[in-house]
Each structure stands twice: as structure tokens, then as C-alpha cells.
């Protein structure tokens, strides 16, 4: 045999089963099965008595009889309970699903082995225990680590469960010899990091012989997975750098110094200083800069961008700043103009709504070089926008831009591509950013300007709405302004604005004219209507802004100090965090009020709790990652990297990721082309992984 053999030739698998398994789990060959890892292990060597159960921390295996079935509740609340007794005592079993199956298949009075995690509710209870007939376990050696494999609905209907897969693994491993499994890491790496050989690791991941061997197997496989990802990214980055010469900005001159000494209205935070230093260093290397600046909302990224643009200008270049929306572009334009109002520099804005006349003027001044800074939306990268000498492009809130747009920017200059700074307020855990944006250098502004009062966040149920309104009225009476945000319900391709318009009506009823004025902004408005409403709010003509998440990004109205989020349970964590970031920008105590109905899923409740607990964007993104899994981190993020890790996990394996990254770095440092004999394994394996990914991207 070899690993390419199809599983239909494995003992216990016929063509029918093979087909189902391939369809459901994408397992076609022996190798696929080898790499289908268990997600946990059950200790089958030890039996507990019902009277031994002391905590809900460990799952237990029990032997006894099941009796006293009782059906309780109606409809969706229906549940089945039963009594489970052994020779010393009894506990309760409970099922919320699959009730009929349980009723049909459990034989009363017969001895069963059950397994599950107990919880305490007027006595010990196990919900949805795994149930096994002891006859089937007979003869089997009781194992301490019995592997559990994920299955799918489709498999269950075909009567293939975790146990079936475990037994297939057994059959498979009885025919695999160590020579069948080719090592995928060079010897010198195995030795250096004390890693287990691949064959042993794979064998022990399915059938661990001890805790120690299981840990070693896991460590080896996780390392390998992370190592190859990093090797790939670093190699890609190195290849790119090789080719990408960039402008050298030698001088930090007149404009930078003039601004810094005379017009900067406050002192920079330590983090801002550090990041500006990192950028200055980039500008001297002779390579094109591609740097991601991560900083929580309000950390002062715009200023860092501005000072970097001044360096470009000091070296005789132009700069541009691109934002994802018209509102945000206008805001940046205003901010930059305010900062630069007493300096001899020109700033213009170009968006989809710019008139022909405005465009003409901008195009001319861009081409003759008299325009220093151009702010805008996507309109900036249209082909007819030609710079005389673009030296630096800043992209704000980059998760809204695609890679293709970044590439278009690179071509804006005939000589060399401009330096690119990407700014994002979506803090993502370092482990993830290293994997997703591994080709960008990363700077983090991890400090907020001094004197900010932390935003107070509370969760309130819809039933307390009157109290919340009263609070808003008090705040408005003190001169503050309020955002009220409604979720958009996506119905297939259309968005449903009903919540928003209903909300607007009830708000105008609760906050009547002439005492109160309410604005409304959403994505269906024309840009100029949106702008008009925004401006009314900015000028303080309206006290309340009812909106969808169009205001999520970038909006800066320091007098608005209260953010009310309706149906907060429908938002993801990072979105809630972004929305909250719209307040807390002035000198006033700010508040974020999360409204929800009583009915909350466990995850939704957790999200709201986390929001009330912390304002630290990095912590929130870690929690987000934990709750959602890396697979669906912010679906708008253009990652291009399939984050389907088989065994490593970016939440817990950060340290290992660092080790793997530096190992990959060292390898490429000594052998950039992977041409040394000892690295042929790496070269070959990279190719295999690459081919697989190609295959996958073709399928999806
Ligand atoms: P971000 O884009 O990172 O969310 P901004 O650049 O919009 O943050 O900055 C938020 C606010 O903080 C702005 O009003 C800005 O002028 C102000 N700010 C920036 N840096 C500082 C600083 N070092 N000290 C005080 N205020 C600052
Ligand atoms: Mg910003």
C-alpha cells in the first residue's frame, strides 16, 4: 500500500461508505484519513460511580442502567429525562434533541456505558451523554485516550459516527509502516526544536500511548503547520522585497519640523513617536514600504499619517490619503486642513461627487506638482488621476479595500511605486495579523492620548427603554449629542431598513420638535443627502443621529458622547467596538448603551458582557477570535489566506507561532532559495502544500 491508496480499499470501508466519507469530510485517500485528527480524547480506562462525581470540570464514564423516562414541556421546550443508576446511587440524564431516537433505542433495565460532562442542577445531571453497549466494548483494551472525531449531519444519517472513524483509523494504522510516512521536516530542525518524527507524531495523535507522547505529537504537528505558513509568507515577502525598490526620503525637513515645532497642538504619545520612527526608518531603506498601522479607535492614526506625508513632501513628493467612504474622506480632509491651516501647503479632496470643474483643477495641480496632498475615496485610483510624483499613499480602514486596489496604487507612479501605509482600527491579535498580513510590516499604536475618560458601557433590556430615554434627555439638556444605531437586516441580497425607519419614527415621537431635532443617515441616501444630514449633526443643529452602521468608521464628532446600539445582540464584537469608538472623543464622560431583548443566546450574552467589561480593542479582538474562531474573522477582511488550521490554533499557540516564525526566518536567512541539500525536504513540501491550496482555491 501507499498513502495515495483510496480509502475504499481499507478494511471496513466499501465503495458506498467511501463515497459518503469523501463527500462529507473530503477524505479520499489513506493520507487524507491520516491527517484527519481527533478533536479530543475520552478516558475509557476509568469508570466512576455516580457517587464519585464531585465537579463539572471533568467528563466521566459510568456503567449502569437507564430507567424512568419522562417527557416534559411542549414544542421546542420539550425535553426527555431519565434516571441513570449504578450500584451506589443515581443521577439524571437529559436530552433536548434526538428524543425519539433515545426513546426508541434504549432498552430499559439493560446495562450501558455512558460518558459525558456532569453539571449540577438540583443534583448531578448529564445532558446528551454518549451511550455505548458494553458488549461492543468487550475484548477491547480499555484505553486512556480514546479518540473523538468530528462528524457531520450527513455522516450521522449514514450511521457513520466518531466511533466508526476511530475504528477505520485503527484498521489504517495496522497496515501503515513507518517507512510509508515520509518525514516533512529536515533533521536539523527536528533536533534543534526537539520535535518528534512525523510517523510517531501522526500515530500518537490518533492513538496516544501517554500524556507525554500526546503532548509531543501535538507540539510537533502544530509546529509544522505554523512553520510552513510562515516559511511561505516570509519567502513571498523576501521575493517581493527583492524586486521592490522604493524612493529614499533622506530629509526630515522644513515642513515636518515647522509643523512639529509650531503647529502640533499637543505632544505626541509615546506610541505615536515610536511608530513615526519606524516609518522614517522604512523611508531610508531604498525599498518600497508596505506597513500596516494598527491602532485602536481614537489612538491618533491620522496624525501619524499626516506627519509621514510631511516627510514625503519634504523630499519633493506628493502624498495621498484614501478612505473607504465619502463621509470619512471629507472628515480626513477637514482634519488635515485644520492641522495645516497656517502652513504653506495645499490639500484637496476628490470623490465621486466632485464636479467636473473641481476635477479639472485637481488634475492640473496634481500633474504640475503644485498640489501636495490629495484626500479621497476610490476616485483617487481611477486611471485619469495622474500624479506628478506620488511618494506616499495612506490607505485608511483598509479592510474595506481589496488587494487589487492596493496594486492599482502601486502603479500610480511611472518610476517607482509609492510607499504605502495602511491604517486599520480593527485591532486583530498579533498571531492573526502575522498570518493574515504577514507580507506587511506591522506597527501598533497601543496607547491612547492622555486624559481620555474611559467610556462607560451598560447593557439594558428593551423593557427599560423609558429609563434610557430619560437619561438621553438629561444628557441632551447638558448639551451633549446622541447616536442611535440600528442593525441592517440582510435579506438575501437586499437590506431591510424597517428597523431603522420604525426606530426613527419612535425616536421622533419620544423626542418631539421643536425641542429636539433628529437626523437620519443610512446607506441608501445619496452622498450629498448623507453629507447634509451629517453636517447638521456636526454643527449641533440636530441632537440625535439615527443611523445604520454607515457611521461605524471614522466619524468624529467630539460633542457626541452617547452611543445607543439597538438590538446589540445582532452585532459582532468588532462592530460593536467600532461603533462605541465613535464616542469618547471629547472632554465629556461618554456612554455606550447596548439595548437588547431578553432572549439572548449564550454567545450574544458573552459578547455584551465583554463589551461592558473592557474597552481594550486588542482584548476584544482576542475574545472575538475565541468566540467566532479564526475561520470567520471579519468576513470583509481581504485575507486571501484560508485560515483553516488543522491543529494549531491562533488563540492559544501564539508562543509556538513565534518560535515557528523565527525558525522559518533563520532557514531563509541562511538559504534564501532553499537550495541546500538539507532543505530539499522543505522545498518539496512547500510545493505539495502549494498545489493543495491551488486545488482548493479552484474548487471554491
Ligand atoms: P484614529 O484615527 O486612530 O481613530 P484620530 O486620528 O481620529 O484617531 O484621533 C482621535 C482624536 O485624538 C483626534 O481628535 C486627534 O486630534 C486627537 N489626538 C491625536 N493624537 C493626540 C495626542 N497625541 N494627544 C492628544 N490628542 C490627540
Ligand atoms: Mg481614524
Amino acid at each position: 500500500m501507499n498513502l495515495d491508496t483510496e480509502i475504499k480499499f481499507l478494511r471496513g470501508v466499501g465503495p458506498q461508505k467511501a463515497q459518503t466519507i469523501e463527500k462529507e469530510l473530503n477524505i479520499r485517500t489513506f493520507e487524507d484519513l491520516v491527517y484527519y485528527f481527533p478533536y479530543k480524547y475520552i478516558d475509557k480506562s476509568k469508570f466512576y460511580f455516580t457517587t464519585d462525581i464531585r465537579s463539572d470540570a471533568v467528563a466521566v464514564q459510568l456503567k449502569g442502567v437507564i430507567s424512568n423516562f419522562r417527557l416534559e414541556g411542549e414544542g421546542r421546550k420539550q425535553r426527555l429525562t431519565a434516571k441513570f443508576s449504578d450500584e451506589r446511587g443515581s443521577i439524571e440524564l437529559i436530552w433536548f434533541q434526538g428524543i425519539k431516537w433515545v426513546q426508541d433505542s434504549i432498552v430499559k433495565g439493560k446495562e450501558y456505558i455512558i460518558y459525558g460532562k456532569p453539571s449540577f442542577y438540583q443534583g448531578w445531571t448529564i445532558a446528551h451523554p454518549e451511550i455505548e453497549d458494553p458488549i461492543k466494548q468487550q475484548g477491547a483494551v480499555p484505553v486512556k485516550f480514546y479518540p473523538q472525531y468530528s462528524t457531520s449531519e450527513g455522516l450521522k444519517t449514514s450511521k457513520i459516527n466518531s466511533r466508526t472513524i476511530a475504528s477505520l483509523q485503527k484498521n489504517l494504522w495496522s497496515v501503515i509502516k513507518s517507512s510509508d510516512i515520509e518525514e516533512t521536516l529536515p533533521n536539523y530542525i527536528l533536533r534543534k526544536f526537539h520535535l518528534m518524527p512525523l510517523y510517531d507524531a501522526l500515530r500518537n495523535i490518533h492513538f496516544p500511548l501517554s500524556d507525554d507522547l500526546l503532548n509531543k505529537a501535538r507540539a510537533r504537528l502544530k509546529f509544522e503547520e505554523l512553520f510552513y505558513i510562515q516559511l511561505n509568507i516570509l519567502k513571498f515577502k523576501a521575493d517581493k522585497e527583492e524586486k521592490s525598490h522604493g524612493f529614499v526620503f533622506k530629509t526630515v525637513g522644513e515642513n515636518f519640523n515647522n509643523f512639529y515645532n509650531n503647529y502640533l497642538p499637543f505632544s505626541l504619545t509615546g506610541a505615536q513617536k515610536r511608530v513615526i520612527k519606524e516609518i522614517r526608518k522604512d523611508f531610508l531603506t531604498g525599498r518600497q514600504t508596505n506597513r500596516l498601522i494598527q491602532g485602536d479607535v481614537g489612538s491618533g492614526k491620522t496624525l501619524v499619517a499626516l506627519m509621514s506625508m510631511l516627510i514625503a513632501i519634504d523630499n519633493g513628493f506628493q502624498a495621498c490619503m484614501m478612505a473607504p467612504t465619502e463621509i470619512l474622506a471629507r472628515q480626513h480632509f477637514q482634519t488635515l486642513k485644520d492641522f495645516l491651516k497656517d502652513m504653506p501647503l495645499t490639500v484637496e479632496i476628490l470623490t465621486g461627487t466632485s464636479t467636473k470643474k473641481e476635477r479639472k483643477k485637481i488634475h492640473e495641480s496634481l500633474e504640475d506638482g503644485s498640489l501636495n496632498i490629495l484626500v479621497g475615496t476610490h476616485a483617487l485610483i481611477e486611471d485619469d488621476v495622474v500624479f506628478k510624483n506620488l511618494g506616499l499613499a495612506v490607505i485608511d480602514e483598509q479592510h474595506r479595500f481589496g488587494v487589487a486596489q492596493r496594486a492599482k496604487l502601486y502603479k500610480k507612479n511611472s518610476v517607482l511605486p509609492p510607499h504605502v501605509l495602511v491604517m486599520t482600527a480593527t485591532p486583530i491579535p498579533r498571531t492573526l495579523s502575522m498570518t493574515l498580513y504577514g507580507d506587511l510590516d506591522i506597527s501598533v499604536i497601543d496607547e491612547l492620548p492622555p486624559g481620555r475618560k474611559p467610556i462607560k458601557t451598560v447593557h439594558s433590556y428593551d423593557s427599560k427603554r423609558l429609563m434610557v430615554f430619560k437619561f438621553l434627555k438629561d444628557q441632551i439638556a447638558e448639551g451633549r449629542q446622541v447616536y442611535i444605531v440600528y442593525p441592517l437586516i440582510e435579506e438575501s441580497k437586499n437590506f431591510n431598513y424597517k428597523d431603522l425607519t420604525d426606530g426613527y419614527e419612535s425616536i421622533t415621537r419620544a423626542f418631539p420638535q421643536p425641542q429636539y431635532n433628529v437626523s437620519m443617515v443610512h446607506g441608501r441616501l445619496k452622498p450629498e443627502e448623507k453629507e447634509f444630514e451629517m453636517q447638521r449633526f456636526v454643527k449641533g443643529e440636530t441632537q440625535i443621529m439615527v443611523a445604520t452602521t454607515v457611521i461605524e468608521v471614522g466619524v468624529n464628532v467630539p460633542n457626541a458622547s452617547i452611543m445607543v446600539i439597538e438590538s446589540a445582540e445582532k452585532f459582532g464584537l468588532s462592530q460593536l467596538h467600532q461603533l462605541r469608538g465613535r464616542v469618547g472623543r471629547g472632554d465629556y464622560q461618554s456612554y455606550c448603551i447596548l439595548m437588547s431583548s431578553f432572549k439572548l443566546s449564550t454567545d450574544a450574552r458573552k459578547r455584551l458582557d465583554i463589551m461592558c467589561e473592557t474597552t481594550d480593542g486588542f482584548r476584544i479582538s482576542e475574545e472575538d477570535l475565541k468566540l467566532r474562531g479564526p475561520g470567520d474573522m471579519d468576513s470583509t477582511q481581504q485575507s486571501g489566506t484560508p485560515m483553516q488550521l488543522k491543529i494549531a490554533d491562533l488563540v492559544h499557540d501564539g508562543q509556538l507561532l513565534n518560535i515557528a516564525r523565527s525558525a522559518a526566518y533563520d532557514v531563509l536567512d541562511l538559504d534564501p532559495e532553499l537550495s541546500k541539500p538539507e532543505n530539499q525536504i522543505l522545498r518539496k513540501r512547500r510545493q505539495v502544500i502549494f498545489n493543495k491550496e491551488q486545488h482548493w482555491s479552484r474548487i471554491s
Side-chain angles (χ1 to χ4, degrees):
M1 69 131 253
N2 69 55
L3 288 184
D4 293 330
T5 311
E6 290 181 35
I7 53 163
K8 66 178 172 219
F9 299 111
L10 181 65
R11 185 154 56 86
V13 190
Q16 189 68 47
K17 222 184 226 174
Q19 218 174 35
T20 315
I21 293 176
E22 174 167 6
K23 183 161 155 269
E24 294 292 324
L25 302 178
N26 230 311
I27 295 173
R28 195 179 61 84
T29 64
F30 283 11
E31 175 160 19
D32 296 336
L33 191 56
V34 161
Y35 278 92
Y36 194 68
F37 300 151
Y39 67 93
K40 69 168 187 184
Y41 307 86
I42 287 179
D43 185 351
K44 292 211 165 189
S45 64
K46 188 168 176 197
F47 281 96
Y48 284 77
F49 286 110
T50 49
T51 45
D52 294 337
I53 299 174
R54 294 275 179 277
S55 99
D56 58 9
V58 274
V60 293
Q61 182 174 240
L62 307 160
K63 201 187 276 185
V65 295
I66 305 175
S67 62
N68 293 28
F69 281 101
R70 274 176 49 193
L71 206 49
E72 290 166 23
E74 289 288 322
R76 286 177 59 194
K77 292 228 173 86
Q78 198 176 56
R79 58 187 191 270
L80 178 70
T81 61
K83 186 170 157 191
F84 179 89
S85 338
D86 59 18
E87 55 196 81
R88 305 220 177 140
S90 68
I91 60 166
E92 188 184 56
L93 305 182
I94 188 161
W95 294 267
F96 303 98
Q97 280 137 32
I99 289 176
K100 187 162 178 335
W101 181 87
V102 176
Q103 284 174 320
D104 290 350
S105 53
I106 298 292
V107 181
K108 281 165 212 155
K110 179 179 152 89
E111 185 167 74
Y112 287 102
I113 292 170
I114 67 161
Y115 182 89
K117 230 171 170 179
S119 56
F120 196 84
Y121 174 74
Q122 299 176 338
W124 289 106
T125 304
I126 296 181
H128 289 266
E130 287 166 36
I131 301 178
E132 204 173 339
D133 190 335
I135 310 270
K136 291 211 176 127
Q137 245 198 32
Q138 249 173 24
V141 191
V143 280
K144 180 147 187 254
F145 300 97
Y146 186 76
Q148 293 286 293
Y149 298 89
S150 336
T151 53
S152 64
E153 275 314 307
L155 283 180
K156 275 184 203 139
T157 41
S158 307
K159 298 221 159 44
I160 297 174
N161 56 20
S162 167
R163 219 176 306 148
T164 324
I165 298 173
S167 90
L168 297 184
Q169 293 286 4
K170 248 214 153 80
N171 297 346
L172 178 63
W173 284 95
S174 68
V175 294
I176 291 182
K177 298 181 299 296
S178 68
S179 57
D180 294 328
I181 295 202
E182 218 174 304
E183 181 54 58
T184 46
L185 287 172
N187 237 319
Y188 73 94
I189 290 184
L190 294 182
R191 270 198 314 267
K192 182 166 174 195
F193 296 98
H194 309 287
L195 299 172
M196 192 182 232
L198 182 60
Y199 171 80
D200 296 345
L202 289 172
R203 194 167 190 121
N204 273 286
I205 206 72
H206 293 287
F207 302 105
L209 294 171
S210 69
D211 270 311
D212 183 46
L213 289 171
L214 174 58
N215 288 336
K216 287 195 169 120
R218 274 194 182 128
R220 143 83 207 213
L221 295 169
K222 286 178 175 189
F223 177 92
E224 170 166 356
E225 182 164 48
L226 297 170
F227 173 82
Y228 274 103
I229 291 174
Q230 292 305 322
L231 189 71
N232 238 343
I233 289 175
L234 291 172
K235 181 92 174 73
F236 175 72
K237 185 169 173 228
D239 291 349
K240 203 168 73 177
E241 273 165 10
E242 178 102 327
K243 291 185 211 108
S244 68
H245 296 287
F247 299 118
V248 177
F249 294 168
K250 270 207 256 347
T251 28
V252 169
E254 206 181 324
N255 290 302
F256 185 95
N257 289 327
N258 187 15
F259 177 76
Y260 188 77
N261 296 325
N262 304 317
Y263 301 115
L264 183 62
F266 28 64
S267 37
L268 295 174
T269 63
Q272 283 171 319
K273 279 189 196 154
R274 193 190 67 237
V275 172
I276 291 174
K277 251 190 216 142
E278 285 166 349
I279 295 168
R280 279 174 61 174
K281 228 164 124 191
D282 287 345
F283 288 168
L284 292 172
T285 58
R287 285 195 304 271
Q288 185 221 3
T289 302
N290 275 293
R291 185 172 284 279
L292 179 73
I293 317 273
Q294 275 190 49
D296 216 338
V297 278
S299 61
K301 295 184 291 294
T302 317
L303 193 60
V304 170
L306 170 60
M307 298 190 68
S308 310
M309 292 196 283
L310 292 178
I311 299 178
I313 296 168
D314 279 340
N315 287 271
F317 288 90
Q318 294 166 305
C320 72
M321 186 167 194
M322 187 157 85
T325 64
E326 169 111 17
I327 294 179
L328 193 51
R330 294 215 171 269
Q331 200 131 52
H332 280 320
F333 175 61
Q334 200 52 52
T335 307
L336 295 186
K337 276 213 351 194
D338 289 349
F339 272 130
L340 298 176
K341 63 178 182 292
D342 296 320
M343 291 190 42
L345 294 175
T346 47
V347 189
E348 285 295 343
I349 180 162
L350 180 71
T351 72
T353 61
S354 302
T355 61
K356 251 200 167 132
K357 208 173 125 204
E358 287 166 336
R359 273 169 203 269
K360 185 154 177 284
K361 204 176 134 232
I362 288 172
H363 286 183
E364 280 170 13
S365 60
L366 267 185
E367 286 168 41
D368 69 19
S370 58
L371 182 58
N372 301 113
I373 298 176
L374 181 62
V375 181
T377 54
H378 294 75
L380 277 187
I381 50 172
E382 276 161 24
D383 291 333
D384 61 347
V385 180
V386 182
F387 291 80
K388 179 167 182 238
N389 55 1
L390 180 63
L392 171 65
V394 178
I395 308 178
D396 194 20
E397 309 296 354
Q398 71 95 227
H399 58 290
R400 307 250 164 141
F401 288 108
V403 177
Q405 282 151 333
R406 231 204 294 160
K408 231 173 154 184
L409 261 177
Y410 293 170
K411 298 203 192 98
K412 276 279 160 212
N413 240 333
S414 48
V415 208
L416 286 174
H419 295 299
V420 174
L421 295 179
V422 174
M423 313 238 163
T424 172
T426 314
I428 50 178
R430 206 179 138 59
T431 51
L432 194 64
S433 58
M434 257 161 57
T435 322
L436 293 179
Y437 304 109
D439 67 314
L440 300 179
D441 295 310
I442 297 175
S443 292
V444 182
I445 308 184
D446 51 5
E447 189 183 343
L448 292 180
R452 293 271 168 86
K453 293 196 185 76
I455 302 165
K456 287 195 179 141
T457 304
V458 293
H459 169 206
S460 175
Y461 293 109
D462 292 337
S463 53
K464 299 264 174 67
R465 185 168 299 277
L466 286 181
M467 269 171 65
V468 171
F469 282 179
K470 166 89 175 54
F471 176 73
L472 299 185
K473 284 181 176 165
D474 291 347
Q475 289 286 313
I476 291 171
E478 286 181 29
R480 300 292 79 74
Q481 288 167 287
V482 180
Y483 295 104
I484 303 180
V485 175
Y486 289 86
L488 270 189
I489 316 299
E490 193 176 352
E491 285 169 337
S492 61
K493 275 197 184 120
N494 292 315
F495 286 107
N496 180 352
Y497 284 82
K498 190 166 180 309
D499 282 9
L500 179 79
T501 46
D502 286 357
Y504 177 74
E505 263 171 36
S506 76
I507 296 295
T508 48
R509 247 178 283 125
F511 295 83
Q513 280 186 319
Q515 198 180 354
Y516 301 101
N517 287 301
V518 184
S519 286
M520 176 161 70
V521 166
H522 56 77
R524 286 240 182 103
L525 295 181
K526 295 207 185 84
E528 54 272 25
E529 293 170 325
K530 226 187 286 178
E531 182 56 26
F532 177 77
E533 283 298 311
M534 263 327 281
Q535 283 312 324
R536 288 210 313 148
F537 187 66
V538 171
K539 288 185 205 140
E541 291 167 14
T542 57
Q543 296 85 27
I544 300 177
M545 163 66 74
V546 172
T548 57
T549 53
V550 289
I551 61 148
E552 179 186 333
V553 179
V555 172
N556 194 12
V557 183
N559 191 49
S561 61
I562 303 149
M563 168 65 64
V564 180
I565 304 175
E566 294 283 349
S567 305
E569 73 271 28
K570 294 192 181 142
F571 292 89
L573 260 180
S574 71
Q575 221 175 6
L576 290 172
H577 180 64
Q578 286 298 318
L579 286 169
R580 178 167 60 184
R582 297 309 109 210
V583 298
R585 304 184 149 243
D587 301 330
Y588 316 105
Q589 175 61 54
S590 294
Y591 301 89
C592 174
I593 304 172
L594 306 169
M595 306 293 298
S596 84
S597 65
F598 260 119
K599 249 169 85 184
L600 288 175
S601 70
T602 320
D603 275 5
R605 184 173 296 282
K606 201 143 186 200
R607 287 198 296 271
L608 300 183
D609 285 349
I610 291 165
M611 285 297 293
C612 294
E613 244 169 62
T614 183
T615 53
D616 175 349
F618 282 88
R619 166 115 199 265
I620 287 173
S621 71
E622 299 265 350
E623 297 289 346
D624 199 23
L625 188 60
K626 271 188 228 164
L627 281 176
R628 295 202 288 167
D632 51 16
M633 273 300 277
D634 197 344
S635 56
T636 53
Q637 234 158 43
Q638 39 91 14
S639 66
T641 320
M643 270 304 93
Q644 303 287 25
L645 295 181
K646 253 185 169 21
I647 183 161
D649 110 49
L650 295 174
V651 178
H652 300 105
D653 297 327
Q655 206 177 353
L656 195 60
L657 176 65
N658 282 328
I659 296 172
R661 185 170 170 97
S662 83
Y665 187 89
D666 289 347
V667 168
L668 289 173
D669 196 31
L670 291 172
D671 184 12
E673 293 307 316
L674 298 179
S675 51
K676 292 188 178 168
E678 66 268 29
N679 288 330
Q680 289 320 293
I681 282 191
L682 298 177
R683 181 186 265 266
K684 193 170 149 198
R685 185 69 188 163
R686 248 192 102 212
Q687 196 57 46
V688 172
I689 295 172
F690 181 76
N691 288 344
K692 262 193 199 138
E693 274 170 12
Q694 291 281 301
H695 180 66
W696 276 112
S697 59
R698 266 205 304 279
I699 290 174
S700 59

